[in-house]
Amino acid sequence: MSQLELDPVTAPAVPPRRAGRRARTSVFWLALPLAVAAVAVFVLPLTGLLPAAGQDLDATRQPPAFLAGGSWAHPLGTDKLGQDLLTQFVSAGRLTIVIGLVGALVAIGPGTLLGLLAGYFRGWVDRVISILIDAQLALPFILVALAIIANRGSSLPVLFLVLALTGWAVCARVTRAATLAIRERQFVVGLRAAGASEPRIVFRHILPNLAGTIVALGTLQVGTAILVESALSFLGLGVVPPMNSWGSMLASGQDELSQAWWIAFFPGLAITVLVLLVNLLGDALLTHHDPRKRRR
């Protein structure tokens, strides 16, 4: 049973101030490396410190600088065409982060709206949306991606469409559960008794109370979008040349593992660390916005 499912009576007592301070500290130390990495990826190309991005057939498969035979002219080494991996890594990281952020937005937008409507209005609205959620979750995302990409081709708009269709259901399910709990609170009952309109209750009072959950859910969705894009790019269905992402770098290096393992190692490591930090940050945000930690 997860921490959020513990009975408040049997859950260990944590002083609210100490719990809030601990949660804020966790959020800070998890957000700090993500912010530094994002700034480095977006600012470093503007400094002119990166090696040239052209091909150099005299320096193919050159190892990283910290290995024997490496050179600081190419700190992360070169690929089979002699292209500098650090320059590719920074450029690909910029696109990967953008895909993660936009992919989270296009998934959490419709997912939050549908979950909010299902949780508040219940009845036939809840039944229809719940059936759509179950149907979407029952379909393997790779089949959905293959069907869409085979029909529309590979491009960023198509990739965002795939991320939206494969991510909205999880967002809708979580938002629906949170809305079901909030709609039974006393302030919502009082608003209905006072004659407040349904749209006003939903968008002016319930939605702001879901802000913390939505932010945490969106953070987790960033990691999911990056993993989906990396998987599709690895299969040749995601980012296509001349664009480059960490997933496409990983795909291009899979055939070079025996001769130049560093081509695939660095983007693979970056994907792993980035998704891990994003998921830990999302979990910390969910803990920080746990309503039991706010009770007095």
Side-chain angles (χ1 to χ4, degrees):
M1 182 177 293
S2 65
Q3 183 182 6
L4 296 178
E5 295 174 348
L6 289 174
D7 187 351
V9 177
T10 59
V14 179
R17 291 185 179 179
R18 182 181 301 175
R21 190 183 309 113
R22 186 182 305 167
R24 287 191 294 270
T25 302
S26 299
V27 170
F28 173 78
W29 286 113
L30 288 170
L32 182 60
L34 291 172
V36 171
V39 170
V41 165
F42 285 95
V43 174
L44 193 57
L46 304 178
T47 62
L49 299 177
L50 294 177
Q55 299 180 7
D56 183 4
L57 297 180
D58 293 329
T60 59
R61 299 185 179 90
Q62 183 173 321
F66 53 84
L67 295 179
S71 170
W72 285 107
H74 303 288
L76 298 185
T78 59
D79 61 9
K80 59 184 177 181
L81 297 177
Q83 296 173 317
D84 183 74
L85 285 181
L86 178 59
T87 302
Q88 293 186 55
F89 181 84
V90 172
S91 176
R94 186 163 58 247
L95 181 59
T96 298
I97 292 175
V98 170
I99 289 175
L101 294 175
V102 177
L105 289 176
V106 298
I108 202 170
T112 298
L113 178 61
L114 292 175
L116 184 63
L117 296 178
Y120 181 79
F121 290 104
R122 303 179 69 176
W124 68 269
V125 177
D126 187 17
R127 287 194 295 272
V128 170
I129 295 177
S130 296
I131 290 174
L132 293 176
I133 293 174
D134 293 338
Q136 176 60 50
L137 294 177
L139 292 174
F141 87 90
I142 193 63
L143 295 182
V144 177
L146 285 173
I148 296 175
I149 294 175
N151 185 36
R152 297 294 181 181
S154 297
S155 65
L156 278 183
V158 173
L159 178 59
F160 292 142
L161 176 61
V162 171
L163 293 175
L165 292 178
T166 57
W168 74 268
V170 175
C171 300
R173 172 165 287 184
V174 174
T175 306
R176 172 186 174 274
T179 304
L180 284 172
I182 294 176
R183 77 183 300 274
E184 302 301 331
R185 292 185 180 178
Q186 291 298 322
F187 77 93
V188 177
V189 176
L191 288 169
R192 284 199 293 264
S197 64
E198 304 286 2
R200 180 182 179 85
I201 295 175
V202 171
F203 296 105
R204 292 286 300 275
H205 299 280
I206 293 183
L207 185 58
N209 280 276
L210 292 173
T213 300
I214 294 172
V215 170
L217 189 60
T219 304
L220 294 172
Q221 194 62 33
V222 169
T224 301
I226 292 174
L227 285 179
V228 171
E229 180 276 326
S230 300
L232 293 177
S233 296
F234 188 79
L235 297 175
L237 303 174
V239 174
V240 294
M243 294 182 297
N244 198 17
S245 69
W246 285 339
S248 59
M249 287 186 65
L250 186 62
S252 65
Q254 63 177 325
D255 297 329
E256 302 288 329
L257 288 176
S258 59
Q259 302 180 47
W261 54 265
W262 51 87
I263 299 177
F265 174 78
F266 292 112
L269 178 63
I271 293 171
T272 302
V273 173
L274 178 61
V275 173
L276 176 62
L277 288 177
V278 167
N279 286 340
L280 291 175
L281 177 60
D283 184 68
L285 288 171
L286 282 174
T287 303
H288 178 60
H289 290 284
D290 183 1
R292 291 196 316 275
K293 293 184 180 298
R294 296 177 177 270
R295 72 181 189 274
R296 295 292 185 265

